[in-house]
Amino acid sequence: MKLATINDGTRDGQLAVVSRDLKTAHLADGIAPTMQAALDDWSFIAPQLNELSQQLNGGRARRSFDFDPAACMAPLPRAYQWADGSAYVNHVELVRKARGAEMPESFWEDPLMYQGGSDDFIGPTGDIVLAHEEWGIDFEAEVAVVTGDVAMGSTADEAHQQIRLVMLVNDVSLRNLIPPELAKGFGFLQSKPASSFSPVAVTPDELGDAWKGGKVHLPLRSTWNGKLVGHPHAGVDMVFNFPQLIAHLCKTRNARAGSIVGSGTVSNKDASRGYSCIAEKRCLEMIADGVASTPFMLFGDTIKIEMLDGAGKSIFGAIEQKVVQAEAKRSR
């Protein structure tokens, strides 16, 4: 089934079931008020949501309405936890190679992961509001999963059983703030503003054969200012699958229902498939020419992130955003 959160003016929005073709939706107010409420009691709530989904897809839902991604908040407008991995080690290797640094062999065996801010996510069509272009504004196209309760010390197989939903992410990065921040030795903070998510989150079974081995086996498309710049395959070159990433997160602590775990920038060794973030393109330029020529995003730039099924139909709906200067937005 496909789920979304409709913006009703409240902090957490209203849970809705969305049709498979993303054309209609139905509020789940008689079942669960919010996405988090559904996740908190998933074994009881999910079958009821699934029944509503079947009615909606069969044309039998009595209070359906046209689905509008612009009316959506992030599927989880705020979450108890947002932990982003770096499962596509090719991306990490390129970044280090571009600056002449060796990559530790342990990176192929032990995932990289950081914990981002989860109290304020952006909806799928919300503006990326920032104060300065000089910060080095970059998009990062990723896949993420939402978990149920995962106990500390869970194995990857155990973690796999707790994957509830799959969705897309734009993990915005401010590249020129990252080096001085990491040099402090305490990780990302100001260089990682609010992330945005696809209009719809789907249960893994909705992906059919594309969900196997704890990975999504489909290309992820990034369109920057109307130009397709990347369509790397999310199931290729993913060194750590989602169950492994969740198990890594839970080595020393529990992850509670509603935790979001990201894949990191989707990246393939085959450079002909393009890129899911500008930094990777710049790294390839540095390696080839000694200088990065592709600029980061500017105010007014747009980014669209989407994943299509084998028939060319959108699965999650699209993240479609514009970069807007903070002062200009406040003055309207």
Side-chain angles (χ1 to χ4, degrees), residues 6 14-18 23-32 52 55-56 59-67:
I6 305 300
Q14 209 167 6
L15 180 64
V17 174
V18 181
K23 291 183 178 180
T24 59
H26 193 293
L27 293 179
D29 48 346
I31 302 172
L52 179 56
Q55 293 174 8
L56 184 63
R60 304 189 309 276
R62 291 182 296 174
R63 293 188 291 122
S64 64
F65 55 89
D66 292 341
F67 178 63

Side-chain angles (χ1 to χ4, degrees), residues 164-177:
R164 302 292 188 235
L165 299 166
V166 186
M167 54 190 181
L168 304 182
V169 191
N170 181 12
D171 180 39
V172 178
S173 291
L174 304 178
R175 299 296 183 184
N176 294 335
L177 299 186

Side-chain angles (χ1 to χ4, degrees), residues 85-226:
S86 192
Y88 298 88
V89 182
N90 175 67
H91 173 74
V92 182
E93 190 172 39
L94 285 174
V95 171
R96 295 181 73 90
K97 185 176 180 180
R99 67 172 190 254
E102 291 291 325
M103 191 178 77
E105 285 298 315
S106 63
F107 282 17
W108 295 98
E109 301 170 358
D110 190 32
L112 294 172
M113 186 172 284
Y114 83 93
Q115 188 160 323
S118 62
D119 58 325
D120 182 33
F121 291 137
I122 305 173
T125 63
D127 291 338
I128 300 169
V129 183
L130 295 165
H132 302 290
E133 293 175 333
E134 293 78 10
W135 286 343
I137 305 165
D138 198 357
F139 63 89
E140 286 194 58
E142 307 183 11
V143 182
V145 297
V146 183
T147 75
D149 288 322
V150 187
M152 180 175 63
S154 290
T155 65
D157 286 342
E158 291 167 337
H160 200 159
Q161 302 305 310
Q162 296 300 319
I163 294 175
R164 302 292 188 235
L165 299 166
V166 186
M167 54 190 181
L168 304 182
V169 191
N170 181 12
D171 180 39
V172 178
S173 291
L174 304 178
R175 299 296 183 184
N176 294 335
L177 299 186
I178 289 177
E181 206 161 54
L182 293 186
K184 295 179 179 180
F186 228 51
F188 301 116
L189 184 68
Q190 294 174 339
S191 54
K192 288 289 188 177
S195 297
S196 52
F197 293 82
S198 53
V200 166
V202 311
T203 49
D205 62 285
E206 194 72 30
L207 296 166
D209 292 340
W211 176 257
K212 54 186 175 184
K215 305 176 184 180
V216 179
H217 293 263
L218 288 168
L220 181 60
R221 299 167 59 88
S222 296
T223 303
W224 178 19
N225 290 334

